[in-house]
Amino acid sequence: MPEKILKFLKERGPEGEFKTHSGPFLSKSLGITRAAIWKQITFLREKGFVIESGKQGYRLSSLPEISAEELALLVPGKKIIFKKETASTNDLAIRTGEKSAVNALVVADGQSAGKGRLGRSWHSPAGLNIHMSILFRPAMPPRKSPLFSLAAAVSAALAIKGHTGLGVKLKWPNDLLANGKKIGGILLELRADPDRILFAVAGIGINVNAGIKDLPKENSATSVLIETGRKTNRAALIAAIQKEFDYWLSVLAGDDIDTLLKTYKPLSDTIGKDISVHTEGEIFEGRAIDIDEEGRLLLLRNNKIHRFSTGDVLKVRGNEK
Ligand code: BTN
């Protein structure tokens, strides 16, 4: 409910300033009493929204960069869970999925035990980056789940491009790269019966406003800020990613895998390259030639095609398509 009042308070005038709205106007527009308006203003103030009140009415002067209330406004109709800090948004989304049959967007400002792929950890300092997990319930067999990782990667890449202008490439299966450096990643987790996904969680981590000093030293990572020189509003980018992902889920629900692959492949930094795929205990070298309708990577080695549904890709040589 506070998102309704926030919608008015976020309106801007001709100079870009937040508009002032009188108590009677808000009360009439929202169909609630002035006392209820006051209660919601107090609630928003407690959440970090700075709202001035004067003779003319209420005026927003600043708002927290991310809040459950603003996310609810930007992603209407979705259950939102926002935490200043949690161990891992994926773990919280999984617990939520186990408890009730909802779909949800789980966001944390910082994570104390962020998880990466293949048992790695994900550096998640507070106040800088995006840590979001989308809990959803696709009607698909588990073997098709790699497609959801591809869909999440495409969603993040397109939303970053649309929102910041930064071009992002995808290293199979779902590393996000900007100018050859890792800017984000996806961790897909499932709860499934042998033939049915019960629910899935697409965890998306993106380095947004991190400076060089905020990034892990040991690997070559970058951020939107480092690549563009500009700070990005995280709430708006989270909403853009969620909207893209909902679109790609509807595409997959219609079994239109071709449309997803047609969008994924031009973003791929892997297809056409000589690479090595590291799977549990084995390394395969060959040429990445395609991605199939189950999201698997096709590797050509000694005239034989090998299909991988998971693994870590390293480039052997930087030869081009
Ligand atoms: C990778 O290893 O590239 C995947 C990183 C995924 C990180 C995100 S941050 C939000 C979500 N919560 C987690 O604990 N991990 C994912």
Side-chain angles (χ1 to χ4, degrees):
M1 191 60 172
E3 64 267 18
K4 293 211 172 123
I5 204 166
L6 193 55
K7 186 161 192 255
F8 285 106
L9 294 173
K10 277 186 72 189
E11 284 175 2
R12 291 179 188 264
E15 310 283 303
E17 78 290 0
F18 290 117
K19 281 186 178 170
T20 303
H21 294 290
S22 70
F25 168 79
L26 289 173
S27 148
K28 189 157 175 260
S29 309
L30 298 172
I32 55 176
T33 63
R34 288 183 67 185
I37 295 286
W38 176 249
K39 221 170 138 190
Q40 291 194 18
I41 295 280
T42 307
F43 174 84
L44 287 171
R45 282 179 175 151
E46 281 165 10
K47 297 281 171 183
F49 292 80
V50 181
I51 302 165
E52 296 159 6
S53 50
K55 273 204 217 85
Q56 309 292 318
Y58 299 105
R59 197 182 77 89
L60 187 63
S61 66
S62 73
L63 65 168
E65 194 205 343
I66 315 186
S67 63
E69 294 68 32
E70 198 188 5
L71 287 171
L73 176 63
L74 298 175
V75 191
K78 176 89 51 190
K79 178 178 171 63
I80 306 283
I81 301 175
F82 171 71
K83 300 278 176 203
K84 274 304 263 180
E85 186 180 281
T86 188
S88 152
T89 53
N90 265 33
D91 289 350
L92 182 51
I94 290 168
R95 287 200 300 277
T96 307
E98 280 165 349
K99 262 192 288 183
S100 62
V102 289
N103 289 343
L105 166 63
V106 182
V107 175
D109 190 43
Q111 299 181 119
S112 55
K115 303 189 296 185
R117 284 180 66 233
L118 308 169
R120 298 179 188 130
S121 63
W122 185 257
H123 186 59
S124 312
L128 298 170
N129 299 326
I130 285 180
H131 317 107
M132 63 188 280
S133 297
I134 301 172
L135 166 64
F136 60 106
R137 293 165 192 276
M140 279 225 191
R143 70 185 159 76
K144 293 208 169 174
S145 64
L147 291 170
F148 298 114
S149 302
L150 303 192
V154 163
S155 302
L158 295 182
I160 294 172
K161 175 74 181 167
H163 201 73
T164 71
L166 179 65
V168 169
K169 289 288 212 178
L170 304 176
K171 187 174 88 151
W172 183 89
N174 42 30
D175 274 359
L176 308 172
L177 307 179
N179 296 316
K181 293 183 176 173
K182 183 152 171 169
I183 200 164
I186 314 284
L187 175 64
L188 185 84
E189 298 191 80
L190 290 186
R191 290 291 180 271
D193 289 340
D195 55 353
R196 188 172 73 101
I197 296 175
L198 301 173
F199 64 82
V201 169
I204 305 173
I206 301 169
N207 300 328
V208 180
N209 294 322
I212 291 168
K213 63 171 182 6
D214 307 308
L215 294 171
K217 310 268 168 301
E218 60 280 8
N219 49 25
S220 111
T222 191
S223 71
V224 178
L225 174 68
I226 294 168
E227 297 303 322
T228 63
R230 287 185 305 275
K231 279 194 89 175
T232 295
N233 179 277
R234 288 178 293 158
L237 183 51
I238 290 167
I241 295 170
Q242 173 71 64
K243 279 184 194 156
E244 276 289 343
F245 192 67
D246 282 341
Y247 168 73
W248 288 109
L249 281 186
S250 71
V251 168
L252 288 177
D255 217 21
D256 188 3
I257 294 162
D258 205 38
T259 298
L260 174 65
L261 293 180
K262 275 197 183 122
T263 307
Y264 181 94
K265 288 180 193 176
L267 296 169
S268 172
D269 179 64
T270 307
I271 300 172
K273 303 258 169 76
D274 286 339
I275 59 164
S276 60
V277 182
H278 297 226
T279 63
E280 272 169 32
E282 273 195 281
I283 300 178
F284 287 82
E285 277 193 14
R287 175 163 279 229
I289 54 166
D290 206 356
I291 288 164
D292 73 7
E293 67 294 339
E294 287 186 13
R296 293 173 299 190
L297 181 71
L298 272 52
L299 190 85
L300 184 65
R301 188 175 73 159
N302 301 334
N303 288 324
K304 210 175 153 237
I305 293 175
H306 299 260
R307 288 171 197 257
F308 295 89
S309 41
T310 183
D312 227 8
V313 165
L314 294 182
K315 249 177 251 162
V316 179
R317 288 184 293 278
N319 56 349
E320 297 310 311
K321 291 181 190 185

